[in-house]
């Protein structure tokens, strides 16, 4: 049984920007959750953002670019929410380090949690290759991250 941080919206928690959860209709996912030691975590709520909230996208880069200061995260209303996203990412990392969690399953396509896909930053509904800011920070610190679609990548 491995310790795994999991995006709380995948576990039935209604924490997404639209006030909903994201149901994973997969028996493989259900078995994974039941057979490991799961810590639910939502970086955006932990970082201080409300439920519901204005949708946000990484503008001008990826999660790594946000971490190095060369890109920012804006809400669809034009508000700079970079600081809240960074706070949430740092709290996710702290949760992993404090609890000796070495794995994470994070929601694909989110500007926080995406592990291979994010939106293009123009609020056009267009997806591009890239990682969210929490995924990047965790991976940069040795946590193995995948999405709800590729659990086998963790090799637990
Ligand atoms: S930040 Fe991550 S855990 Fe929170 S709602 Fe978005 S995808 Fe889910």
């Amino acid at each position: 049984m491995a310790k795994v941080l999991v995006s709380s919206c995948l576990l039935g928690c209604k924490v997404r920007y639209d006030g909903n959860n994201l149901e994973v209709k997969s028996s493989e996912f259900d078995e994974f959750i039941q057979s490991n030691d799961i810590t639910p975590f939502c970086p955006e709520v932990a970082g201080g953002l409300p439920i519901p909230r204005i949708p946000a996208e990484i503008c001008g880069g990826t999660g790594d670019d946000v971490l190095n200061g060369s890109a920012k995260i804006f809400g669809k209303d034009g508000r700079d929410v970079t600081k809240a996203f960074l706070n949430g990412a740092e709290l996710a990392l702290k949760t992993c380090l404090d609890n000796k969690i070495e794995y994470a399953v994070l929601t694909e396509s989110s500007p926080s949690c995406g592990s291979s896909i994010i939106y293009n930053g123009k609020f056009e509904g267009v997806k591009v290759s890239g990682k969210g800011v929490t995924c990047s920070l965790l991976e940069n610190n040795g946590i193995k991250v995948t999405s709800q679609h590729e659990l086998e990548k963790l090799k637990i």
Side-chain angles (χ1 to χ4, degrees):
M1 179 177 278
K3 290 185 170 186
V4 188
L5 190 87
V6 178
S7 292
S8 50
C9 62
L10 299 176
L11 299 170
C13 302
K14 296 183 181 298
V15 292
R16 297 188 80 210
Y17 72 94
D18 58 2
N20 284 315
N21 61 321
L22 185 67
E23 191 178 349
V24 185
K25 294 176 183 158
S26 152
S27 55
E28 185 197 0
F29 181 81
D30 294 343
E31 275 173 34
F32 180 91
I33 297 301
Q34 283 162 17
S35 57
N36 288 292
D37 181 358
I38 303 300
T39 297
F41 196 87
C42 174
E44 292 174 23
V45 172
L49 293 170
I51 309 166
R53 53 191 172 277
I54 304 287
E57 295 187 5
I58 298 174
C59 300
T62 65
D64 274 322
D65 297 316
V66 175
L67 292 176
N68 70 30
S70 63
K72 286 183 172 275
I73 304 178
F74 289 95
K76 200 173 182 182
D77 59 354
R79 187 175 149 228
D80 183 348
V81 287
T82 309
K83 192 165 188 299
F85 276 70
L86 287 171
N87 285 344
E90 282 162 14
L91 288 167
L93 177 60
K94 183 178 187 319
T95 299
C96 288
L97 297 179
D98 287 352
N99 295 285
K100 297 186 169 38
I101 295 171
E102 297 178 351
Y103 302 95
V105 175
L106 303 182
T107 308
E108 194 59 280
S109 309
S110 153
S112 290
C113 292
S115 55
S116 61
I117 297 168
I118 54 174
Y119 285 89
N120 72 352
K122 298 177 180 172
F123 298 96
E124 299 169 330
V126 176
K127 294 179 180 180
V128 295
S129 293
K131 294 170 186 172
V133 64
T134 293
C135 174
S136 285
L137 187 63
L138 295 188
E139 286 191 337
N140 292 349
N141 285 275
I143 314 292
K144 296 176 188 66
V145 182
T146 192
S147 77
Q148 71 271 33
H149 306 303
E150 294 185 293
L151 300 175
E152 68 283 355
K153 278 174 74 176
L154 293 183
K155 297 191 172 83
I156 291 177

